[in-house]
Amino acid sequence: MSVGPRTRTLTRITSETRRRAVAAAYAALAEVCKDTGDNPSQAELVSEHPHHAWWLPASNALALVHADADEAGMLLRGARLLDEHQVAVVLPDYDYVRIARGRAVTFWRSPGRPLRDAAVSAWATAAVHRIRPGSALWLEDHDPFNGLLDGLDDAPVNDVGQSFLRDRAAELRKEWDRAEWPTPPTVILGAPAIASCYDEGSHPRLFPQRPLWRGHREWDLVAARWRTELLRGHRDDLYAYTTAYASDSRAGLAPPYEQIGAWPDYQTVRDVVVLTAVMDIVRRAHLDAHLRRQAAHQVACLRGAHQPPWNWGRR
C-alpha cells in the first residue's frame, strides 16, 4: 500500500484482522483510482466507520470505501437532494458509484476542517428538516431496528451480553411502536450523533456520511444531545444547539425543542439512539482488542454496571 506515514504506523501496531480490512479498502480505492485518474499515493486513513474514509493529498479529495453499493448510491443521491434545496453540503466529485473488489467507492470534494460548533450543527439540521419528504419520494422510511442487531451473532461479546442486547432491542421495539410523535415525518439525517459540519474556507458545510431518511426530526434532535447527558467529558454546548435550532422558525418544531426532554417518549428514543451507537462498536469489536474492550464496557454500562455519566473515552 502506498499510504501516508500515519496509516503506515497504524498498520504496524494494529491487529492482523484490522490490518487486512484496511488493506482491502485501500486495494479497492487504488483500483478505482486507475479509472478516475485520482492519485491514491500517500493516502491517509481518516476514519473507519461507518466506512473507510481516505484523504488523498495528491488529489485534494476524500474517498469513501463502502461495503454496501446501494448505501453509497443513496449517500450520493442525498447530497444532491440537499444541494438542490440550498443546504450547504459537501458535494461529491462524481455523480456515480465506482465498484472494485466487491466494494463501492465515492469521491468527495475536500470538506476542510471539522467544526466543533453546536450552533452550526443545529442550523444545518434545521435546514435538512425543512425539506418536504414529498420532494424525495425515493427516501426510505426510517426504522432504526432494521439491521440493528446485524453482526451480533459473530461479535466477540459474551453470551450474557448478547442475550441482553437482544432482549433490550425487543423491549425498545415495543416502546418505539407505541411512541406518539409531536411532529409529522420529514427528511432526517438518522445518525446516532450530532450532525458533522466542516469549514472549507467560505462557509460551513454539512457532511452526512449516512443516507438520509424519511422520519421524525425528534430522532436527530435526541441524537444531538444524548452524549451531553450520558457521557463523561462531552461538553457540547447544548444551550447553543437548542437556541440555534429553536431560532429557525421555518423548522416548524412543535413543541419547542427546549422542551423535548419533557416529551413523554423522549427516553425511549434516546435509548434507541444509544443502543444504535453501542451496536456500531459491537459490530466492529472483532477488529482489535481495544474495540473489544470498548464494546464490553459499553454493554456493561447499558446493563447498569456503571452509572452515568459513563466514561467511554475521548471524543
Side-chain angles (χ1 to χ4, degrees), residues 256-279:
Y257 173 56
E258 58 264 29
Q259 298 178 18
I260 195 170
W263 173 40
D265 293 305
Y266 169 78
Q267 187 166 330
T268 293
V269 176
R270 187 193 69 183
D271 289 350
V272 178
V273 173
V274 174
L275 184 58
T276 301
V278 171
M279 278 304 306

Side-chain angles (χ1 to χ4, degrees), residues 8 21 48-49 52-53 57 63 84 126 139 141 151 158-159 163-165 171 191 198 202 237 258 263 274 283:
R8 283 198 299 273
E48 297 172 77
H49 180 74
H52 287 86
E84 289 167 3
L139 285 172
D141 290 328
N158 63 34
D159 291 344
S163 179
F164 166 80
L165 291 170
E171 177 186 13
Y198 291 77
S202 57
D237 190 341
E258 58 264 29
W263 173 40
V274 174
R283 205 171 288 114

Side-chain angles (χ1 to χ4, degrees), residues 66 69 72-74 76 94-99 103-106:
H66 314 254
M74 291 291 281
L76 292 181
Y94 312 113
D95 287 332
Y96 48 91
V97 177
R98 304 270 185 163
I99 306 295
R103 289 170 169 79
V105 183
T106 57

